[in-house]
Amino acid sequence: NEININKNEINKNEININKYVCISSYFESEITFGNRAIIEYSFIGHNSILGTNIILSNISLAPNSIIPSNTLLQTIPILSPPNSTSNSTSNTPLLLYVTCVNGIKDDFKGEIWGSKVFKGE
């Protein structure tokens, strides 16, 4: 089903953004949520505190974790270059996982310590 909404027909007083969205995730007991959180494919340990304006993607949080407001936490798969580990003699790249932590003011196309982060050329 397709839903079409004309933005001129929306009454802003009727929109409640003080909620969270959860997709295929598991939460243990005693989790404290801030407003406007998106959590997908994650495990959240008990007694964890999740701030406002957060996105968690493919994350496993230990019990008693605290995620500050305005944070993006995501785990992404990467392939290592062949022979990149000291005990590897194979030319087959390894599948590794990296967890990235970003704030809402971070610039993915900007500079970190004087060098470009994203080189889209």
Side-chain angles (χ1 to χ4, degrees):
N1 292 345
E2 192 172 305
I3 299 173
N4 294 313
I5 299 174
N6 182 337
K7 67 179 181 178
N8 297 325
E9 296 173 0
I10 297 175
N11 180 344
K12 291 184 181 177
N13 295 327
E14 294 176 359
I15 299 174
N16 183 358
I17 58 173
N18 295 323
K19 302 208 182 257
Y20 62 92
V21 174
C22 175
I23 302 168
S24 296
S25 295
Y26 178 81
F27 298 86
E28 291 189 333
S29 62
E30 306 297 323
I31 308 298
T32 303
F33 281 90
N35 295 324
R36 297 179 300 277
I38 299 172
I39 299 139
E40 62 176 7
Y41 311 108
S42 296
F43 173 87
I44 311 299
H46 70 275
N47 294 326
S48 292
I49 300 172
L50 309 178
T52 298
N53 295 327
I54 64 163
I55 299 174
L56 304 179
S57 180
N58 296 309
I59 297 297
S60 181
L61 293 179
N64 304 307
S65 294
I66 299 172
I67 304 299
S69 294
N70 304 315
T71 301
L72 163 63
L73 219 67
Q74 63 180 340
T75 300
I76 56 174
I78 61 170
L79 288 176
S80 69
N83 297 320
S84 64
T85 60
S86 60
N87 60 356
S88 174
T89 57
S90 169
N91 283 330
T92 304
L94 296 173
L95 178 62
L96 305 172
Y97 294 91
V98 175
T99 299
C100 305
V101 180
N102 301 96
I104 61 170
K105 293 185 179 181
D106 291 342
D107 182 0
F108 290 98
K109 294 184 180 180
E111 292 186 357
I112 295 179
W113 302 301
S115 84
K116 285 295 240 182
V117 176
F118 177 76
K119 297 179 182 179
E121 300 156 357

